[in-house]
Amino acid sequence: GAVVSQHPSWVICKSGTSVKIECRSLDFQATTMFWYRQFPKQSLMLMATSNEGSKATYEQGVEKDKFLINHASLTLSTLTVTSAHPEDSSFYICSAMGPHSGNTIYFGEGSWLTVV
Amino acid sequence: SQQGEEDPQALSIQEGENATMNCSYKTSINNLQWYRQNSGRGLVHLILIRSNEREKHSGRLRVTLDTSKKSSSLLITASRAADTASYFCATDAKETSGSRLTFGEGTQLTVNP
């Protein structure tokens, strides 16, 4: 099946710094990518939808200036958590789909962010 | 907001038994999907059932969909210890565009060897 790769798998950063998480579709062109956040033992909450070449659409309650999403190419989307705080610590998961992914949405392995 | 509700929240069974998980949702959907998540890992797509389908099989998995009751069930037959994971349903609502999935709260399945 299609592969979506996230990097880094885990990251620890200091409060106030920014951290970037990458999401890559390895074998198909991802015209749409989604970013989710998941707290321990909870469900996934959609943060934003990004379409290649256009601005991301954020879900209600998600601060677009804090969670910067860039989808500059058909294989890469990035999520930058700016001025991170401990409450931003979470598991962030991306997913991707495209015209040749057969209507299936493929998920990355997720990235653990810990802000200390 | 999450529209899916799953029950049970946690299920513990013995190897070889069947596991049934249920999911309810609130809006009209294009399709409903089931995903599996091992602890601390990403999601693995299991099966997709369209709104005009009532039942679908894939290996040891059987999914049903009742759009009149806005509910779905996932049955795993002859369970194995390796099936231990969290299982989520996700709906693709008709009212939204672009395949935005809304996830249920998940069922934590534990299969004891």
Side-chain angles (χ1 to χ4, degrees):
Chain A
V3 177
V4 175
S5 172
Q6 273 185 250
H7 177 80
S9 300
W10 57 270
V11 57
I12 301 173
C13 71
K14 292 184 177 180
S15 288
T17 61
S18 296
V19 60
K20 180 185 288 186
I21 301 170
E22 295 184 346
C23 178
R24 294 181 184 273
S25 60
L26 299 184
D27 53 3
F28 69 97
Q29 293 182 329
T31 49
T32 305
M33 287 183 168
F34 305 89
W35 286 95
Y36 294 84
R37 183 174 183 176
Q38 185 181 30
F39 291 108
K41 299 189 184 300
Q42 293 189 24
S43 187
L44 281 74
M45 294 196 66
L46 180 64
M47 299 174 66
T49 303
S50 73
N51 294 296
E52 186 267 338
S54 62
K55 291 183 178 180
T57 302
Y58 289 80
E59 295 298 304
Q60 192 172 6
V62 178
E63 300 176 59
K64 62 180 180 180
D65 294 331
K66 180 168 185 61
F67 299 100
L68 301 178
I69 292 172
N70 183 280
H71 191 167
S73 78
L74 284 171
T75 59
L76 174 64
S77 176
T78 60
L79 167 67
T80 301
V81 182
T82 63
S83 187
H85 290 106
E87 56 265 33
D88 298 326
S89 299
S90 186
F91 191 52
Y92 293 89
I93 308 177
C94 73
S95 66
M97 64 178 292
H100 302 297
S101 70
N103 289 323
T104 298
I105 299 172
Y106 294 94
F107 282 80
E109 282 293 302
S111 299
W112 283 101
L113 169 63
T114 301
V115 185
V116 297
Chain B
S1 62
Q2 299 294 327
Q3 71 157 345
E5 296 181 1
E6 294 180 62
D7 76 272
Q9 290 187 336
L11 178 62
S12 182
I13 60 175
Q14 296 299 123
E15 240 180 352
E17 295 180 340
N18 296 340
T20 299
M21 290 161 269
N22 303 296
C23 166
S24 62
Y25 57 92
K26 297 177 182 176
T27 63
S28 296
I29 62 172
N30 293 314
N31 61 67
L32 184 145
Q33 305 178 39
W34 284 91
Y35 288 84
R36 166 196 169 121
Q37 183 182 36
N38 286 4
S39 181
R41 304 293 298 275
L43 274 70
V44 175
H45 181 261
L46 295 177
I47 197 165
L48 180 153
I49 186 165
R50 301 186 192 284
S51 60
N52 61 350
E53 297 176 310
R54 292 295 167 259
E55 188 171 311
K56 205 162 182 179
H57 297 253
S58 176
R60 293 185 295 115
L61 305 180
R62 173 177 168 254
V63 169
T64 63
L65 179 64
D66 187 334
T67 52
S68 66
K69 295 181 179 178
K70 291 185 166 60
S71 67
S72 173
S73 68
L74 170 67
L75 168 67
I76 303 175
T77 60
S79 64
R80 306 166 182 169
D83 294 329
T84 295
S86 291
Y87 292 83
F88 294 92
C89 68
T91 52
D92 178 4
K94 281 186 178 179
E95 64 188 20
T96 61
S97 61
S99 296
R100 288 166 61 244
L101 296 179
T102 300
F103 283 82
E105 295 301 314
T107 295
Q108 172 61 50
L109 173 67
T110 302
V111 181
N112 301 298

